[in-house]
Amino acid sequence: MPAHSADEQLLARALELARQGIGLASPNPYVGAVIADAHGNVLGAGTYTYAAVKHAEILAIEAAGKKARGATLYINLEPHAHQGRTPPCTDALIAAGVHRVVACMPDPNPKVSGLGFEKLRAAGVHVEVGRLEEPARRLNEAFARYIRHATPLVTLKVAMTLDGKIAPAPADRARDIPSAGYSGQWITGEIARAHVHELRHENDALLVGIGTVLADNPLLTDRSGRARRRPLLRVILDSHLRLPLESRLVKSVAAQRDEDVLVFHTSGDEAKKSQLEQLGVRIERIELEKVSALARDGRPDLPAVLRRLAQLEITSVMIEGGATINSTALAANVVDKVFLYYAPKILGDPSAIPFAAGDELHAAQVQHTHLHRFGEDFAVEGYLRDPYEE
Ligand SMILES: NC(=O)c1ccc[n+]([C@@H]2O[C@H](COP(=O)([O-])OP(=O)(O)OC[C@H]3O[C@@H](n4cnc5c(N)ncnc54)[C@H](OP(=O)(O)O)[C@@H]3O)[C@@H](O)[C@H]2O)c1
């Protein structure tokens, strides 16, 4: 096998290991590492998880033991050269005698980017950077956005019909008219809905408006079945604390005591606030929406909400509707990427609920699109901006 493709295979293995950290590494990046000898034999490997503290390359060095001397490290992200929760990994690599480092990309943190490679090169280690860079950048895009801008990566997820409707008109829905192309609560089929749980698993928080809670009484949990270090934070924008005490959201938080429901409000009575808090719901008052505050009737300011979530070490947020929040999020220019699911249905009812309602939106270009198929449904994934932009 040519050396080039052997390197790529081992780097792909490191990326695969990094992916095993999804749900377990945030607020730090996903990192996987492989140490191999000159024949491509794997001597040690590791995946970074926040709880285990040790970095992927340290786990790989420990597994390789003395055999690490003269070996190559394959890693998706630049080893760090500074003292953080752990000592610099570059020092450990140099001390272990690793002879060559093949990495997909530099650290997205501008404060340390490039320093790790510099230190390794200064110690005589051969460093190669840039192979499999595209998938490596995608994997750590939330970390990049968070570390560069102190705000989470925001994904707007919507499920809709081919004519862009996210729910039937409230009257049709009350009568549950199947001919409206809408059965029960769902627009898309089972396969697409299972995929939504994969996306939930990749995110630190979900965000909806109180309108969705009142209409759908959703649970908003991660039901992917995979382990996560912190429960998915369920964020509700609810200016006047209309969240019903008997909603499934409140009941679930009261039962689990995870305190994983966080409500941002701007007013609302004290008695309701303390009732919700007694049931384990976290409540925070947030500054008012700044842009056309009059039109929004004193609602929480979405960019301020996102800054607050970043302070809570939330690196990624998925907005799951409904029409009003979708519109506010796009108008406020907080959306980084979209995941738009389409069911092959046409509602054709002008009073059905559209994808976005409320603000006048500027046309937005969705770039780097990928198409996904989920049985009869499909989805468009794409970017409104580069999460790595300065
Ligand atoms: N197909 C899908 O993917 C999908 C997903 C979700 C929902 N839906 C559907 O969407 C419909 C609900 O739509 P909706 O527009 O009523 O729900 P929404 O967008 O979830 O909630 C809107 C409400 O959130 C509150 N809010 C607080 N801060 C806000 C802010 N900064 N910007 C905007 N709103 C803010 C406002 O009520 P206050 O002024 O009282 O705070 C507002 O009326 C339901 O029929 C549901 O089934 C569909």
Side-chain angles (χ1 to χ4, degrees):
M1 189 186 302
H4 179 83
S5 74
D7 277 349
E8 230 156 74
Q9 274 189 16
L10 288 158
L11 209 45
R13 175 77 190 122
L15 256 174
E16 215 176 282
L17 287 166
R19 273 190 202 101
Q20 290 176 12
I22 291 178
L24 302 170
S26 172
N28 289 336
Y30 304 122
V31 189
V34 170
I35 289 184
D37 67 16
H39 307 291
N41 299 314
V42 174
L43 308 169
T47 293
Y48 171 72
T49 61
Y50 187 90
V53 183
K54 278 185 188 171
H55 285 196
E57 50 273 60
I58 302 300
L59 295 170
I61 290 172
E62 285 179 0
K66 290 204 174 87
K67 290 183 186 159
R69 190 153 297 279
T72 299
L73 171 79
Y74 297 88
I75 189 161
N76 60 307
L77 206 65
E78 176 180 10
H80 75 132
H82 61 285
Q83 177 69 42
R85 276 172 91 215
T86 64
C89 287
T90 46
D91 291 359
L93 288 163
I94 294 162
V98 169
H99 156 78
R100 181 171 165 249
V101 169
V102 181
C104 299
M105 60 181 282
D107 193 319
N109 182 351
K111 286 191 193 136
V112 300
S113 187
L115 298 181
F117 294 143
E118 230 171 76
K119 199 163 176 189
L120 290 168
R121 284 190 179 114
V125 178
H126 296 274
V127 176
E128 293 165 39
V129 190
R131 263 187 240 159
L132 300 184
E133 189 173 4
E134 220 273 316
R137 279 170 70 91
R138 279 169 73 93
L139 181 65
N140 274 312
E141 62 192 14
F143 174 73
R145 179 85 185 133
Y146 166 74
I147 206 74
R148 287 167 178 240
H149 295 275
T151 187
L153 181 92
V154 175
T155 302
L156 182 70
K157 171 257 150 183
V158 185
M160 56 189 146
T161 58
L162 291 180
D163 54 340
K165 306 296 185 187
I166 64 167
D172 287 347
R173 180 197 184 115
R175 284 178 279 140
D176 193 11
I177 299 176
S179 61
Y182 186 86
S183 137
Q185 285 200 12
W186 312 115
I187 287 186
T188 44
E190 215 172 291
I191 306 173
R193 296 201 314 272
H195 184 259
V196 171
H197 286 281
E198 296 298 321
L199 291 188
R200 287 183 178 182
H201 184 67
E202 289 171 14
N203 278 272
D204 291 339
L206 286 190
L207 184 148
V208 301
I210 186 62
T212 294
V213 179
L214 297 175
D216 297 347
N217 196 13
L219 258 184
L220 302 175
T221 47
D222 168 0
R223 299 194 284 283
S224 64
R226 294 186 216 285
R228 53 187 305 144
R229 180 177 78 85
R230 305 180 279 184
L232 178 68
L233 187 66
R234 301 175 282 169
V235 178
I236 321 297
L237 301 195
D238 179 12
S239 315
H240 313 294
L241 294 181
R242 291 191 284 153
L243 177 62
L245 297 175
E246 64 285 0
S247 59
R248 296 211 297 156
L249 269 173
V250 174
K251 281 188 174 159
S252 66
V253 77
Q256 290 163 20
R257 286 276 150 201
D258 268 340
E259 305 209 331
D260 59 345
V261 172
L262 173 56
V263 175
F264 287 108
H265 73 120
T266 50
S267 66
D269 73 47
E270 275 303 314
K272 179 71 179 287
K273 179 170 179 270
S274 61
Q275 280 174 317
L276 286 167
E277 282 175 337
Q278 272 165 26
L279 291 167
V281 177
R282 291 156 67 184
I283 312 249
E284 290 198 18
R285 187 182 282 268
I286 201 92
E287 59 190 90
L288 296 182
E289 188 82 58
K290 286 180 199 129
V291 194
S292 72
L294 280 178
R296 296 220 182 74
D297 200 17
R299 289 171 176 162
D301 180 54
L302 196 44
V305 165
L306 294 169
R307 284 195 298 276
R308 173 67 187 135
L309 292 175
Q311 285 170 359
L312 299 173
E313 299 191 325
I314 296 295
T315 67
S316 52
V317 174
M318 185 154 78
I319 297 181
E320 288 210 43
T324 316
I325 288 287
N326 293 348
S327 179
T328 309
L330 288 166
N333 194 27
V334 299
V335 179
D336 298 296
K337 67 182 288 191
V338 292
F339 221 106
L340 305 178
Y341 295 81
Y342 290 88
K345 297 169 184 168
I346 296 170
L347 265 184
D349 174 1
S351 57
I353 298 180
F355 158 65
D359 290 275
E360 202 175 299
L361 299 176
H362 298 293
Q365 184 69 42
V366 180
Q367 293 177 321
H368 307 295
T369 51
H370 288 264
L371 276 179
H372 304 262
R373 268 216 93 112
F374 303 105
E376 286 294 296
D377 303 325
F378 65 95
V380 179
E381 178 185 12
Y383 291 80
L384 294 187
R385 71 170 143 246
D386 177 0
Y388 286 81
E389 76 180 11
E390 293 302 328

